[in-house]
Amino acid sequence: MATAAPRPGTPVGLALVRDAEVLGAEPFFHEFIAGIERILVPLGVPVLLQVVATVAQAAERMRAWAQHGQVQGMILIDLLPDDERVALVRRLRMPTVVIGDPVTAGGLPTVWTQDDVAMRDVVSALVAGGHEHLGHVGGPAQMAHTIIRRHTFETAAASLGARTTSFEGDYSEAAGVRAVADLAALARRPTALVFDNDVMALGALHEAARLGLAVPDDLSLVAWDDSALCQLAAPPLTAVSHDVQELGELVGHTLADALAGAPTGVVNAPPARLTVRGSSR
């Protein structure tokens, strides 16, 4: 399945299903790819990023890359349950690393960020802070990591006696605005919201101010994946924080091993930690 060693000059491919406008505003992938390149570029292996609109388009791009010998390996992220791309890279005999839950990876080399561990910590901290009704604003509902985070959020809250309300977002600032607008219309609204990225949390912060909701006195906000956007907000956003470039480096090392034919399995990245700032109590 793998070559004897990485081939200098031939990239690895990442066909990313994202709205290009959302990607431009989201710091995560810039830092993530920088971490991967820190490991692979010294081996002569760049990262080829293609932004597409659908999973079908991603699969089409991956097939074309393989057919024309344009990549020597691939990176899979934001998988769906039973994702067709897992079977595709197996048919293509293409060294591949999955970033996500090992259950979705079908035995492929995997780097797992342990989102369930981090979400339990977030819920526990919010309930300990006096919140009895929590909201989760997730990414696209069909994504496996969204399903894991939401399930963990709901079960952890229930185990601690807290109520939950869920909203579906798309990682855009507008999704955070919509979530807070919908929240404000509820007769019994959550007093804390957990967002699946920083951009949605920032949109929520701006909309809360427009609606006259004080943060954190009326509404606490927590963002997933800390960034400069979180740190420079007013008030600064509490965030689920891990070293995104370090995560990229883990992926880079795992992919280098896969390209060289070395045995690979599941690599657990250090769980993210909650960095408390002024947006939560």
Side-chain angles (χ1 to χ4, degrees):
M1 179 175 175
T3 55
R7 300 196 306 272
T10 303
V12 294
L14 170 56
L16 181 63
V17 182
R18 268 296 193 282
D19 181 279
E21 194 170 307
V22 171
L23 179 64
E26 196 172 33
F28 175 89
F29 280 101
H30 304 283
E31 295 188 31
F32 176 64
I33 292 171
I36 297 173
E37 290 183 331
R38 186 172 295 133
I39 304 305
L40 294 184
V41 167
L43 303 177
V45 181
V47 176
L48 175 59
L49 174 66
Q50 178 77 55
V51 180
V52 296
T54 66
V55 170
Q57 290 177 0
E60 180 182 351
R61 173 49 47 197
M62 292 159 62
R63 276 191 291 267
W65 281 339
Q67 179 182 352
H68 298 292
Q70 294 174 307
V71 302
Q72 61 178 309
M74 296 188 191
I75 301 164
L76 293 179
I77 195 168
D78 291 345
L79 291 182
L80 314 181
D82 300 316
D83 199 296
E84 65 180 276
R85 291 168 288 182
V86 173
L88 173 61
V89 295
R90 288 195 176 282
R91 290 196 302 272
L92 296 173
R93 300 182 62 82
M94 183 66 63
T96 300
V97 172
V98 172
I99 298 88
D101 180 8
V103 173
T104 68
L108 293 171
T110 305
V111 176
W112 173 223
T113 54
Q114 304 187 72
D115 288 5
D116 50 346
V117 175
M119 183 61 87
R120 281 194 291 269
D121 290 344
V122 171
V123 170
S124 296
L126 289 172
V127 173
H131 297 281
E132 300 177 350
H133 186 178
L134 312 179
H136 176 230
V137 183
Q142 71 273 21
M143 288 185 178
H145 72 263
T146 303
I147 295 169
I148 290 167
R149 290 181 190 178
R150 177 147 297 164
H151 174 73
T152 305
F153 173 81
E154 292 174 347
T155 55
S159 72
L160 296 172
R163 298 177 58 225
T164 58
T165 300
S166 296
F167 303 84
E168 182 180 351
D170 60 5
Y171 299 126
S172 69
E173 185 174 356
V177 171
R178 288 193 300 272
V180 172
D182 289 350
L183 169 86
L186 297 177
R188 297 178 64 190
R189 59 175 179 79
T191 58
L193 290 179
V194 182
F195 296 83
D196 266 9
N197 77 340
D198 49 357
V199 176
M200 291 194 296
L202 193 64
L205 180 63
H206 295 158
E207 181 66 5
R210 192 187 72 81
L211 295 174
L213 293 171
V215 175
D217 293 341
D218 297 325
L219 181 64
S220 288
L221 304 177
V222 178
W224 205 280
D225 292 327
D226 197 8
S227 69
L229 295 179
C230 297
Q231 296 158 27
L232 297 174
L237 288 166
T238 293
V240 177
S241 176
H242 55 88
D243 190 326
V244 177
Q245 291 199 27
E246 181 182 39
L247 173 62
E249 290 175 8
L250 281 175
V251 173
H253 283 300
T254 306
L255 191 49
D257 287 343
L259 293 172
T264 54
V266 176
V267 178
N268 284 327
R273 64 190 183 278
L274 185 65
T275 299
V276 178
R277 300 194 181 98
S279 71
S280 68
R281 60 173 175 82

